[in-house]
Amino acid sequence: MKALTQKLVAIAAALLTLETLAAADLAAGAAKGSYTPEGGTTVAITNAAAFTDQKDERKPTILLLTDKKLPTEKWKSEFDLMLSHEKFSGVLFWLDKDGAVFRNDTYQNGRQASVAGMFELKLDAKGGKDLTGSASSHDRASDKLEVTFHAALK
């Protein structure tokens, strides 16, 4: 039994290492995975971006995992996102100064589709200008997300 447990721990560690390497190996701005809204069409998540909301007193980082590149280099707040009228699909995460998620939204074809807590975000490291990691949906979530990403914080 002990040998089996050790083998399972080794396999789990190897899988975690592969997940981390996959995210770290992506170019800045890239993501690899998919998002399927409940009852909707699966979209490939290919882009990752992050910016700090300068108008929010908490100065949260907004991480965008989307199906297309968005002009986040120009954005200074969530209001820029709302006013952009970009047609995109994906999932957004709001991170506090400690890197903890306090909000996430989903978007379908440019429209905010829901505000939900059905996703888990795993960052490879907290702090710094590069956000790498993975995001997935919880087992019972109606929307499905599986993605690795590398976003450069502007």
Side-chain angles (χ1 to χ4, degrees):
M1 184 66 152
K2 185 177 179 182
L4 177 60
T5 302
Q6 289 174 333
K7 285 181 182 179
L8 289 174
V9 168
I11 291 169
L15 289 173
L16 287 173
T17 301
L18 287 174
E19 180 180 295
T20 300
L21 287 173
D25 288 343
L26 291 170
K32 185 174 183 179
S34 64
Y35 167 61
T36 308
E38 181 180 23
T41 303
T42 298
V43 295
I45 300 299
T46 56
N47 293 274
F51 69 95
T52 301
D53 188 333
Q54 298 297 323
K55 293 187 179 178
D56 185 324
E57 65 186 28
R58 297 170 291 182
K59 304 288 187 253
T61 297
I62 302 175
L63 172 63
L64 302 91
L65 304 174
T66 62
D67 63 341
K68 65 181 274 190
K69 183 176 178 355
L70 299 172
T72 57
E73 60 278 351
K74 301 173 187 175
W75 295 353
K76 294 183 177 19
S77 78
E78 180 180 358
F79 298 110
D80 294 320
L81 166 66
M82 290 188 274
L83 296 173
S84 72
H85 304 292
E86 295 287 336
K87 300 279 186 194
F88 71 95
S89 296
V91 179
L92 284 59
F93 293 89
W94 276 254
L95 310 172
D96 67 17
K97 62 180 173 54
D98 297 320
V101 175
F102 66 88
R103 174 182 164 193
N104 63 279
D105 290 358
T106 62
Y107 278 77
Q108 295 177 37
N109 202 23
R111 292 183 177 257
Q112 184 179 5
S114 69
V115 177
M118 63 180 106
F119 304 111
E120 180 177 7
L121 180 71
K122 293 180 185 174
L123 295 175
D124 294 339
K126 295 187 179 180
K129 292 290 185 183
D130 277 339
L131 299 174
T132 60
S134 63
S136 60
S137 49
H138 295 293
D139 292 340
R140 295 185 180 171
S142 54
D143 290 14
K144 301 299 178 194
L145 175 70
E146 289 296 329
V147 64
T148 56
F149 62 87
H150 179 176
L153 179 61
K154 73 159 203 99

